[in-house]
Amino acid sequence: MKRGDVSSMDNIKKYFHGIGLLEKLEKIERTVEALEREGKRIYPPHEKRYQAFNRTPQERVKVVILGQDPYHRPHQANGLCFSTEKGVRLPPSLKNIYSELEADLGFKAPENGDLTFWADQGVLLLNTILTVEEGLPLSHKHLGWQEITRAYLQKILLGRTPVAICLWGKEAEKFFSPLQEHIGEEHFVLKSNHPSPLSANRGFFGTKPFSRINQFLTLKGISPILWSEGKILMRQGKA
């Protein structure tokens, strides 16, 4: 079995033992499975539901990027926030993320929306809600996923390993607010507007999150993230 390919939640149970949440996680899982038996189409598919945890286990996390809930259209969600399956048209927010990446670093953005290579380097791409019903954004916001994902993040912060945290938009800031007390000097929090087309021009573009994260990691003696394998872009007025 490859890392990140899971058919159950067995691989992640260890993260919730001893903090009273394993039973709640199992209850959510039963609820989602019941919805599927009723004929509801749930995203991401079960084998990728816990992709963020398995691709980027707590002990390997360098960076946290928070999303809200998975993409709700067919063939998009792959268990990593903002990420899509290969071959899928880029969603607007991811297009803006790639535009900022190119402006920030001067490298051509990835050619597809699959951000698994970020996750494999230590970027936790975590939706605060891990499932959604097809065509119904935020349809699972009342299942209790936020308690699970917030507890996972809390354990990372208490580990005292330097971590950069990206809070893109008011919803991410609101979700993260209870965890502020666990932010120490060893961590780095970046706040900006969401990369959505509705807000990117009002405080996401120009914030240079990718270079700032790598500067932080380098300062802490941690290897930086390779955000893109694309070629260096030709800058206007430069050879």
Side-chain angles (χ1 to χ4, degrees):
M1 177 183 294
K2 296 180 181 179
R3 179 160 50 87
D5 295 338
V6 292
S7 58
S8 73
M9 63 181 184
D10 291 342
N11 288 1
I12 68 166
K13 285 183 177 180
K14 62 183 178 181
Y15 298 121
F16 301 101
H17 280 298
I19 57 176
L21 288 179
L22 185 56
E23 295 79 7
K24 293 183 180 180
L25 177 60
E26 291 172 338
K27 181 180 179 180
I28 295 171
E29 182 74 15
R30 289 194 298 270
T31 299
V32 174
E33 289 176 349
L35 291 171
E36 290 177 319
R37 287 195 297 272
E38 292 174 6
K40 307 291 187 183
R41 184 161 292 181
I42 308 299
Y43 299 127
H46 185 270
E47 66 272 12
K48 295 193 174 182
R49 190 168 298 161
Y50 303 109
Q51 184 91 316
F53 299 139
N54 283 283
R55 282 284 180 182
T56 318
Q58 288 178 345
E59 61 273 13
R60 295 183 58 247
V61 174
K62 302 177 183 179
V63 181
V64 174
I65 297 178
L66 289 181
Q68 194 166 9
D69 70 336
Y71 296 123
H72 56 88
R73 301 189 187 281
H75 312 300
Q76 285 187 316
N78 67 356
L80 306 173
C81 75
F82 295 108
S83 178
T84 70
E85 297 286 13
K86 292 180 179 179
V88 175
R89 183 179 179 182
L90 294 183
S93 291
L94 185 54
K95 280 186 178 180
N96 287 340
I97 290 170
Y98 279 180
S99 292
E100 177 62 16
L101 187 153
E102 291 185 347
D104 183 6
L105 300 180
F107 284 90
K108 183 172 175 56
E111 295 183 354
N112 62 72
D114 185 359
L115 301 179
T116 300
F117 76 106
W118 286 7
D120 288 344
Q121 294 179 76
V123 182
L124 178 64
L125 297 163
L126 184 64
N127 280 313
T128 60
I129 304 164
L130 296 186
T131 55
V132 69
E133 186 175 334
E134 183 178 47
L136 297 173
L138 298 177
S139 51
H140 288 185
K141 66 179 180 180
H142 299 304
L143 294 188
W145 282 122
Q146 297 92 326
E147 188 175 1
I148 301 298
T149 51
R150 189 177 286 117
Y152 189 81
L153 288 176
Q154 180 174 323
K155 290 191 72 175
I156 292 172
L157 296 176
L158 292 176
R160 297 304 177 186
T161 299
V163 175
I165 302 117
C166 282
L167 303 179
W168 289 341
K170 295 299 182 184
E171 289 300 322
E173 291 185 34
K174 181 180 178 181
F175 170 85
F176 196 80
S177 180
L179 298 173
Q180 287 288 351
E181 63 181 292
H182 303 300
I183 294 295
E185 294 181 356
E186 68 274 19
H187 301 311
F188 179 43
V189 178
L190 299 89
K191 297 181 181 181
S192 74
N193 277 356
H194 194 276
S196 161
L198 297 176
S199 57
N201 284 312
R202 302 197 309 270
F204 175 74
F205 290 139
T207 57
K208 301 184 181 296
F210 307 103
S211 61
R212 292 169 67 195
I213 287 170
N214 278 352
Q215 288 169 5
F216 164 77
L217 294 175
T218 301
L219 183 65
K220 296 295 183 179
I222 300 171
S223 58
I225 304 299
L226 178 63
W227 296 107
S228 177
E229 296 177 335
K231 296 180 180 179
I232 297 176
L233 293 173
M234 299 294 287
R235 296 296 195 183
Q236 186 173 3
K238 292 185 179 182

